[in-house]
Amino acid sequence: MASQNLDMMRRGPERLPTLILGNSLKAMRMRADAEEAGNSDVRVLIAGESGTGKTHMARAIHYFGRPTSPL
């Protein structure tokens, strides 16, 4: 699992579009929120009904997060 995370970080921004799709204002806001949450030290609770994209949002936040160990 750790090697998959390192691969994802090394791939760069081209991986992100597969996590949150769309060019609507809401999709752009979700990407901005994911980046803001990933770059902060706060804990995030993602709540919603089944099938609403909670896992995709969590992955996007993780993508933007600071690495906890050197690459």
Side-chain angles (χ1 to χ4, degrees):
M1 184 73 167
S3 65
Q4 289 173 345
N5 290 343
L6 290 176
D7 277 348
M8 193 166 137
M9 285 185 221
R10 288 183 182 131
R11 280 188 229 169
E14 65 274 6
R15 173 74 174 115
L16 186 61
T18 62
L19 298 175
I20 300 175
L21 298 175
N23 292 323
S24 68
L25 291 175
K26 286 186 180 186
M28 288 188 279
R29 182 63 190 159
M30 285 180 64
R31 283 190 289 272
D33 288 346
E35 184 171 6
E36 184 178 347
N39 287 320
S40 71
D41 292 329
V42 300
R43 293 179 185 207
V44 176
L45 172 66
I46 303 170
E49 295 181 23
S50 179
T52 57
K54 296 181 299 289
T55 300
H56 292 292
M57 188 65 170
R59 287 181 181 153
I61 291 169
H62 180 76
Y63 170 86
F64 284 115
R66 293 182 293 259
T68 56
S69 61
L71 295 178

